[in-house]
Amino acid sequence: MKTVIVTGASRGIGLETAKLFAEKGYRVYALSRSGQCETKESIIPLRCDVTDENEVKSVFGRIYEESGRIDVLVNNAGFGISGAVEFTDEKQAKKQFEVNFFGCFLCCKSVAEYMRKNGGGRIINISSLAAELSIPFQAFYSASKAAVNSLTLALANELRPFRISVCALMPGDVKTGFTDAREKQEEDGGVYADVIKKSVATMEKDERNGMSAVRIAEAVVSLAERKRVKPLSTKGAQYKAIAVLSKLLPMSAVNRIVGMLYS
């Protein structure tokens, strides 16, 4: 039985991904800060704070001892903040990177040794289309996901000799609890108040009308089971089209269009 680790698996994309892997016959370790997950026979919920290196090392070591192998790692843990760069609290900005980027880094770092022992494996990082199209008033979320993409590309080359493949999936709008969990930075003395409210309302409307978490889970499992994967990919025809257009058009034009949509 192949073993997969899914972080941020207590709800949303992580939960649906864990469930689908279990249905496919994988032994699934569902990691989250709460240690809670919808239980199935082949889903094992474990508490793990991905920002704590010692805890990540301990949990990954335990999983390897119990299962004897780690075949797939899905780095899904993450959250979002919104607000103007000028008025974003430094601690919140750092927290955004601690979870979204450094959590991903620590899990990749910890799993590499075990995948080498297996003779290979696959790491799938959940990024975002916002990594390619930086969204106003979500600068730090976009930046953290862009950093995940850069980590993915570098790591893919570093681990290729060990038959460990690394890729990132960049979803567009997805309907999950992520929207309501977004931490909003709005104390700016009213300088940006109206435009922030409009921008965030637009984002939240798009998310609530977005793809289901199940569709993203299906894409993740598909990436896990393919022989070869692209380092960066997205899900959904409209989001693929947006990604292509963002490469073809001048960056100034792309950025201006994004600004018009979210300002």
Side-chain angles (χ1 to χ4, degrees):
M1 183 182 289
K2 289 187 175 181
T3 299
V4 58
I5 299 173
V6 181
T7 70
S10 62
R11 61 184 180 180
I13 293 172
L15 175 59
E16 295 301 332
T17 299
K19 288 162 65 177
L20 188 54
F21 270 118
E23 290 171 9
K24 292 274 188 175
Y26 289 75
R27 180 183 177 94
V28 181
Y29 285 88
L31 275 51
S32 65
R33 285 182 301 169
S34 66
Q36 302 297 315
C37 179
E38 186 173 314
T39 56
K40 289 190 175 184
E41 187 175 342
S42 54
I43 295 182
I44 303 158
L46 291 176
R47 185 194 179 283
C48 183
D49 179 352
V50 296
T51 68
D52 185 328
E53 184 169 12
N54 290 330
E55 191 166 317
V56 171
K57 284 182 177 179
S58 176
V59 170
F60 278 55
R62 171 185 167 181
I63 290 171
Y64 188 76
E65 286 180 9
E66 289 182 358
S67 62
R69 59 188 299 124
I70 301 174
D71 299 277
V72 181
L73 166 64
V74 180
N75 281 309
N76 171 71
F79 80 108
I81 65 173
S82 65
V85 171
E86 181 182 358
F87 292 101
T88 297
D89 183 78
E90 182 184 7
K91 290 182 180 179
Q92 283 300 102
K94 288 181 176 178
K95 179 183 174 183
Q96 180 80 104
F97 272 83
E98 285 290 336
V99 177
N100 291 11
F101 174 72
F102 286 101
C104 177
F105 154 62
L106 292 176
C107 290
C108 289
K109 180 179 177 180
S110 293
V111 84
E113 173 188 357
Y114 303 121
M115 286 187 171
R116 275 201 304 272
K117 290 179 180 179
N118 290 353
R122 179 155 294 164
I123 298 171
I124 303 169
N125 298 325
I126 304 302
S127 179
S128 170
L129 200 56
E132 306 240 311
L133 303 170
S134 191
I135 301 173
F137 307 111
Q138 275 203 110
F140 295 99
Y141 177 77
S142 295
S144 70
K145 292 302 186 179
V148 167
N149 283 6
S150 292
L151 177 69
T152 298
L153 294 171
L155 202 55
N157 284 327
E158 292 179 15
L159 296 180
R160 185 177 292 110
F162 306 106
R163 298 179 64 190
I164 302 170
S165 55
V166 188
C167 62
L169 178 65
M170 303 183 294
D173 297 311
V174 185
K175 185 179 180 180
T176 67
F178 178 91
T179 302
D180 291 330
R182 180 179 284 114
E183 297 182 10
K184 300 175 182 178
Q185 314 292 305
E186 295 182 345
E187 294 183 10
D188 58 18
V191 177
Y192 297 98
D194 292 338
V195 70
I196 286 180
K197 287 180 181 178
K198 180 183 176 182
S199 177
V200 173
T202 299
M203 287 185 288
E204 293 184 346
K205 180 181 177 181
D206 290 343
E207 289 167 354
R208 291 193 170 96
N209 290 290
M211 296 178 289
S212 70
V214 172
R215 286 192 65 193
I216 306 304
E218 291 170 348
V220 172
V221 174
S222 176
L223 287 172
E225 296 185 334
R226 290 179 194 172
K227 187 174 181 180
R228 293 183 179 87
V229 291
K230 295 179 180 179
L232 302 176
S233 62
T234 189
K235 174 69 175 175
Q238 63 177 327
Y239 300 113
K240 290 179 181 179
I242 291 170
V244 170
L245 284 173
S246 71
K247 300 295 185 184
L248 296 176
L249 295 174
M251 180 55 69
S252 57
V254 173
N255 201 45
R256 181 66 63 87
I257 292 169
V258 172
M260 291 170 62
L261 291 172
Y262 293 101
S263 302

